[in-house]
Structures are given as C-alpha cells and as structure tokens.
Amino acid sequence: MEAFYVVGPCRLSGNVRIHGAKNSVLPLLAASLLCRESCELTNCPDLSDVHTALAILQALGAPAQREKDRIVLSPWDGTVCEIPEELMRRMRSSIIFLGAILARAGEAALSLPGGCELGPRPVDLHLQAMRALGATVREDHGKIRCEAPGGLKGAQIVLAFPSVGATENALLAAATASGTTVLENAAREPEIEDLAGFLNACGACIRGAGESTIVVEGVKRLSGASYRVIPDRIEAATYLAAAAATGSAITLVDVIPRHLRPVLAVLQEAGCRFSGRGRVLSIEAPARLSRIHSVRTMPYPGFPTDAQAPVLAASTLARGTSIFVENIFEERYKHVGELLRMGASIRVDGRVAVVEGVERLSGARVQAADLRGGAGLLVAALAAQGETVLEGVCHLDRGYEHIEDALCALGAQVKRRVMEG
Ligand code: UD1
C-alpha cells in the first residue's frame, strides 16, 4: 500500500502540462471495437483505469499496443463478447463497453457494476437505450445479457436524466444501427463531443453532440482513424484548486479553457484571476480566498461533480462561509470527515455541505476513499501546516498521472512511499 507524504504549506509556481482526459479515452477505447480498420489514439493518459480498459480489450480478443501516450488498436473479430466480472468490478465505468460490443457482435454479456464508493451506480438508462434500439435485455443474478441477432435499429430515445455513460453507450450502439436515432436529453459534456468526433472521423454520421438532442444516421460500417484525446478538464480543475488553496500562481499548458468555465467562475468569485491565450491558462490566487456563495454540481455546462472535492478543499481556508450542493452522486462527501481531522470546519446535511473557512489546516494521517475525494485531500495537504500522510493513493492513480512528480516540479513536497507499519 502506497501513501503520499506531503509537507506543507507550499507555494506553487511554474507550468504544468495537462494530460488527455480519462473520461474521454475510456469511451474511445470502447468505440475502437466498432472499427473494421486499425485506430490510433494519441494523448492517452497513463492511468490505472486506462490499464483496466486495455485489459478488457485484451479479454475480448481485441489487441492494443501502447507506446508512451499513443495506443494503436487492431480491429476486433467480434467473437468473444463477455467482459469478465473481475474487470467489471475493478472499474464501474466498464459498462461503457456494452453498446459497442452489442452493436458489433449482436450480443454482449457482463456483470452489473453494482454500488461503488460514490453510492448506488444504476445502469437502467443504459439498458433502456439498448432496449429502445431493439435489443432484448435480460438481467439475472447480477448478470446482464443483451442480444440483437438481427442488428440494432435506430429509434427515438429520451433519457430521463442526461447521464454521461448512457449517452455514450447510446451513441456507440446507434452509430452502426440501421436507420436514424434521435437521442433527447443527452448529456452535453465535452467527452461526448470527443466521442462523436472520433466516431465521425471513423465514418459515423452524428450531429448535435454537445447539445441536448443528438441525431445519429446509422452507417453500415466504421473504418479506423487517428485521433487526439482532449485535455482532462478535471485534472486541470484539480491543479487550479491546488493553486487557489495555496495562494499560488501557476500556468496550465494544453487545456481548453471553455471546458472549465463553471470552475473558473467559482474560483474567480473566490478572488482568483485568470489570463492566457489558446490552450494556455494562468491562475493567480490571492493570499487568502474569499468565500464561495454556492456551488451546485450539475450536468455540463454546470459545475462538474468531479471538481467538487478539490474546490471544497480549497474553500476550507477561505474567509467566510461557502456552500456546496451535490446534485449528481450520493456519498460524495467522504473526504469531509478527513478534512475535519486536518482542522477544517464543515457541516454536511444530505446533499449540502457548509464550509466555515478557517485560518489554517494542519497535517494529519488521512485516507482517500475515492478518486476525487483523494484529490481534495491532496489539495488540502499542500496548504496544511506540517506533514500529511495521504493513504489510498491507488484511488488517485485511477485519474491522475504521476501527480506527485508534477506537484514537485511546481515546488511542492510530495513523496510516494510504501506505507510504514
Ligand atoms: C461520468 C464520469 C464521472 C462523472 C459523471 C458525472 C466517466 C468514465 N465517468 O460517470 O467521472 O462524475 O459522469 O459527470 O465518464 N444514473 C442513473 N441511471 C443510469 C445512469 C446514471 O440513475 O443508468 C444516475 C447516476 O446514479 C448519477 C447520475 O445519473 O446520479 C449521473 O451519472 P452519469 O452521468 O451516468 O455518470 P457516469 O457516466 O457513470
């Protein structure tokens, strides 16, 4: 078991390059299953979730080769169409492979992702979309079996909630279905646009990605393409929160600032100033943040739930009271108990967290319970006085590539060590 040993407080300065988006590369790897020719993805982050996705491709018999940030995917023969349960359990978002396997092989079998550290993780909207496209879906003892021997057929699908994963699965399944699919109340996240961009580069015909209504004209087959993954807006938001918490000035390189708008608005309200051009964004944080009136997590273009924990951690040191309302996932305040042990003052009631800013945090031994909560604890540790031992680094490794090296290059003291005792 590894832990981060962080000595704070630090002042960060310099440049940090943002990696490709985890939440884009996973559906793009799933999309490669639809392609009849080789695909090349560049700007792929080196993360444990990406390793799991590659293990799923391998289990399906779809070969992939990785060299640095480039992954080359050879066409899949579509014979093995079951994802082993161990891989489904390792990464809940493995469900994202469902639409592509079903579309290409005419059947798919996987186990239910069940609950996770963020609370229940239902897949009803994913299955509803598959049914609408003509698949029969059977759920039995935690296993899902989908079949569409005659192929999928375009349909009108209205999602009850703009789920990111269900939108992606619907696009993957509809891309090669016969006829037209109209997907309403679709998620509008940048990663949806990225998936549609890749599928279109492979010959799909998808219009409206990034808007609430997406129209897919099914095509017979997809070829291959070479495609660059968009930058990770959540990794970027985490570095911005780290700068905000420590009164620092840093520059992010290779970001799309438009994807970060709701995060920038909140940090601006707290007194941070932003500048930059093109894909470069600089933040200059005040010595002490002002309070943030209210942050409500919402589907894009609202404030991302994944940025809640890092920004909440920064607000623990602000002057005044900040309010957070978590509207997307239950159980997304697991970092709060650990922040209290560092001296923060936070009350949680259901979906609402009330943060009374304190003048200082102090280092403590804390435990990450999930990916973004862990990122929040790391942000707090950078700003806290003394040493913090952050356990549960495996959660951070799911979504941040060598974050300790990047933070050290910015002037922080973070060491990864195998835990003592
Ligand atoms: C994706 C992201 C995750 C992010 C989340 C919300 C990936 C790999 N992960 O997760 O980092 O936090 O979007 O921006 O891209 N829901 C249902 N039924 C369903 C599906 C979802 O009720 O069938 C609910 C969920 O319980 C949750 C909400 O919808 O409350 C949003 O979930 P969703 O948008 O599907 O998130 P993911 O795609 O799982």
Side-chain angles (χ1 to χ4, degrees), residues 22-23 26 93 120-126 161-165 189 305-306 328-329 332:
K22 168 179 91 73
N23 289 353
L26 299 177
S93 38
R121 203 93 184 219
V123 293
D124 53 322
L125 302 174
H126 300 246
F161 181 88
S163 152
V164 175
E189 270 68 2
T305 174
D306 288 349
I328 307 295
F329 285 110
R332 229 181 180 178

Side-chain angles (χ1 to χ4, degrees), residues 102 105-107 134-136 146-152:
L102 176 63
E107 58 179 317
T136 54
C146 295
E147 285 174 12
L152 297 167

Side-chain angles (χ1 to χ4, degrees), residues 238 241 297 303-316 324 326 332-336 339 370-377 379-380:
T238 304
T297 66
F303 188 93
T305 174
D306 288 349
Q308 175 257 106
V311 171
L312 184 146
S315 78
T316 60
F324 290 77
E326 174 54 60
R332 229 181 180 178
Y333 286 129
K334 285 196 179 147
H335 49 298
V336 164
L339 289 172
D370 60 70
L371 165 59
R372 305 304 171 183
L377 294 175
V379 165

Side-chain angles (χ1 to χ4, degrees), residues 142-379:
K143 297 259 184 217
I144 307 171
R145 190 158 197 97
C146 295
E147 285 174 12
L152 297 167
K153 294 187 180 56
Q156 169 115 357
I157 304 172
V158 184
L159 292 179
F161 181 88
S163 152
V164 175
T167 300
E168 290 166 347
N169 252 330
L171 293 186
L172 290 164
T176 54
S178 61
T180 305
T181 297
V182 180
L183 183 60
E184 289 182 33
N185 200 25
R188 299 168 60 193
E189 270 68 2
E191 294 76 21
I192 304 285
E193 274 186 73
D194 212 28
L195 174 60
F198 172 70
L199 289 169
N200 284 344
C202 296
C205 182
I206 302 174
R207 292 189 311 271
E211 294 163 31
S212 295
T213 302
I214 304 179
V215 180
V216 185
E217 308 281 356
V219 296
K220 278 219 160 55
R221 51 191 283 143
L222 296 182
S223 55
S226 179
Y227 197 79
R228 187 175 196 273
V229 179
I230 53 166
D232 195 316
R233 64 198 166 97
I234 305 302
E235 185 193 26
T238 304
Y239 284 109
L240 294 177
T246 54
S248 303
I250 62 169
T251 296
L252 311 188
V253 179
D254 202 9
V255 286
I256 302 180
R258 159 172 75 84
H259 293 167
L260 285 158
R261 260 186 215 141
V263 177
L264 302 190
V266 162
L267 293 177
Q268 220 153 17
E269 185 191 337
C272 298
R273 289 190 311 190
F274 294 95
S275 57
R277 286 179 63 181
R279 290 197 163 213
V280 175
L281 176 69
S282 299
I283 178 173
E284 200 183 319
R288 190 171 182 196
L289 295 177
S290 308
R291 75 189 187 119
I292 301 162
H293 284 81
S294 92
V295 172
R296 287 164 194 278
T297 66
M298 305 278 258
Y300 192 85
F303 188 93
T305 174
D306 288 349
Q308 175 257 106
V311 171
L312 184 146
S315 78
T316 60
L317 287 161
R319 195 172 277 124
T321 304
S322 306
I323 311 276
F324 290 77
V325 185
E326 174 54 60
N327 290 310
I328 307 295
F329 285 110
E330 296 171 31
E331 300 178 34
R332 229 181 180 178
Y333 286 129
K334 285 196 179 147
H335 49 298
V336 164
E338 302 300 271
L339 289 172
L340 296 182
R341 288 156 35 72
M342 299 176 76
S345 172
I346 308 165
R347 270 173 295 126
V348 172
D349 185 1
R351 294 183 174 273
V352 180
V354 180
V355 184
E356 307 271 2
V358 293
E359 274 184 29
R360 60 192 287 268
L361 296 176
S362 45
R365 200 171 183 107
V366 292
Q367 170 81 45
D370 60 70
L371 165 59
R372 305 304 171 183
L377 294 175
L378 184 53
V379 165

Side-chain angles (χ1 to χ4, degrees), residues 38-165:
S38 293
C39 297
E40 178 195 57
L41 299 177
T42 54
N43 203 29
C44 298
D46 188 12
L47 303 169
S48 59
D49 271 8
V50 176
H51 301 167
T52 304
L54 292 175
I56 289 175
L57 291 178
Q58 192 171 13
L60 293 170
Q65 277 178 338
R66 172 164 205 149
E67 193 203 339
K68 296 192 178 146
D69 74 344
R70 177 171 168 265
I71 298 177
V72 177
L73 303 129
S74 304
W76 178 44
D77 65 9
T79 47
V80 181
C81 49
E82 175 159 4
I83 300 181
E85 188 173 355
E86 188 267 321
L87 294 173
M88 285 301 296
R89 252 188 288 121
R90 209 189 298 170
M91 183 174 75
R92 308 285 163 183
S93 38
S94 305
I95 187 75
I96 202 58
F97 283 84
L98 172 64
I101 297 175
L102 176 63
R104 183 67 204 288
E107 58 179 317
L110 35 83
S111 50
L112 275 171
C116 74
E117 61 273 10
L118 305 181
R121 203 93 184 219
V123 293
D124 53 322
L125 302 174
H126 300 246
L127 301 184
Q128 181 206 339
M130 299 308 117
R131 283 195 182 98
L133 293 166
T136 54
V137 179
R138 275 183 290 135
E139 289 178 71
D140 188 25
H141 292 88
K143 297 259 184 217
I144 307 171
R145 190 158 197 97
C146 295
E147 285 174 12
L152 297 167
K153 294 187 180 56
Q156 169 115 357
I157 304 172
V158 184
L159 292 179
F161 181 88
S163 152
V164 175

